Amino acid sequence: DGKGLLPLYLPITNELAELIGYMHSEGSTSYYEDKGSYQMAFTNYNEKMNQRFEESWNKIFSIPLIKRFSKNSKGEKVISGRVVSNKIIVALFKYVFGKDGSSNIIVPDFLYDSDEDVKWHYISALYDGDGSLKPEEAMALGAKILIEHLNIVTNLSELADTTGIMSAKQEDSKLKK
């Protein structure tokens, strides 16, 4: 009946770009062939973020996500993310979409060639997932993202260049000429 199967073809869509951005910011993969253990998790205590992740997921995959629960600081049981334990999905996110721990994130090559809207969905999800939606935390958040994902900065800069965004460093060097 096709339930629970991967689509044969994954088009490069805004939703796919969002999923990759969310996973790069708040995701993890565990792929242990020798133990037969495969898990991909998106962990975020912001329920709106979890819902956005799940909405994008459901537009692409028919494999259901499992809600992850944790206790908050008040001891209340809250939703803290989504999990899937499918070998192919985990391999896809780990090896193709470049998510193998927070220190090994690679922007997939196909995003560079995608249209601007797709690139913006990726960048927005990466920022939203790693950050907070509270404006007063914006400065600390920007520093946190750069520190935690130092190796992705070059890739993001290159990706941003393809959208016409000029970094402050590029702007400075252009003004000095």
Side-chain angles (χ1 to χ4, degrees):
D1 66 359
K3 288 281 185 199
L5 298 178
L6 283 170
L8 201 52
Y9 169 73
L10 273 178
I12 313 297
T13 63
N14 293 342
E15 291 80 16
L16 180 61
E18 283 178 3
L19 282 178
I20 296 168
Y22 290 141
M23 284 302 296
H24 282 180
S25 65
E26 295 284 16
S28 63
T29 57
S30 301
Y31 190 94
Y32 300 104
E33 186 72 49
D34 57 332
K35 298 177 185 175
S37 175
Y38 317 97
Q39 187 177 68
M40 181 185 92
F42 174 74
T43 305
N44 193 300
Y45 285 91
N46 183 318
E47 184 51 28
K48 287 182 183 178
M49 191 69 58
N50 280 298
Q51 289 171 354
R52 286 168 44 189
F53 179 83
E54 192 162 354
E55 287 167 8
S56 293
W57 178 273
N58 289 333
K59 289 181 181 178
I60 300 169
F61 302 110
S62 60
I63 297 167
L65 291 169
I66 299 165
K67 290 181 180 177
R68 171 185 268 181
F69 292 90
S70 299
K71 290 190 177 182
N72 66 13
S73 59
K74 298 175 186 174
E76 303 164 327
K77 188 176 176 182
V78 295
I79 296 172
S80 60
R82 305 292 192 269
V83 178
V84 68
S85 296
N86 178 286
K87 180 180 181 177
I88 296 171
I89 293 277
V90 175
L92 183 68
F93 276 86
K94 181 175 176 122
Y95 298 113
V96 179
F97 297 155
K99 177 60 183 181
D100 184 21
S102 61
S103 62
N104 189 17
I105 298 170
I106 300 165
V107 177
D109 288 340
F110 62 80
L111 282 177
Y112 291 95
D113 298 325
S114 59
D115 65 50
E116 280 194 30
D117 204 31
V118 169
K119 292 173 191 174
W120 278 112
H121 276 81
Y122 168 77
I123 292 168
S124 176
L126 179 70
Y127 187 83
D128 287 348
D130 235 343
S132 167
L133 302 177
K134 297 176 185 172
E136 64 272 13
E137 297 176 1
M139 284 298 277
L141 171 63
K144 176 182 176 275
I145 291 170
L146 292 179
I147 291 167
E148 288 181 356
H149 299 299
L150 221 48
N151 66 334
I152 199 171
V153 172
T154 301
N155 290 322
L156 278 177
S157 176
E158 291 169 1
L159 184 65
D161 286 345
T162 67
T163 67
I165 298 172
M166 186 177 292
S167 70
K169 185 176 178 181
Q170 290 170 318
E171 187 68 33
D172 275 353
S173 67
K174 193 175 180 184
L175 291 173
K176 290 178 184 177
K177 289 183 181 180

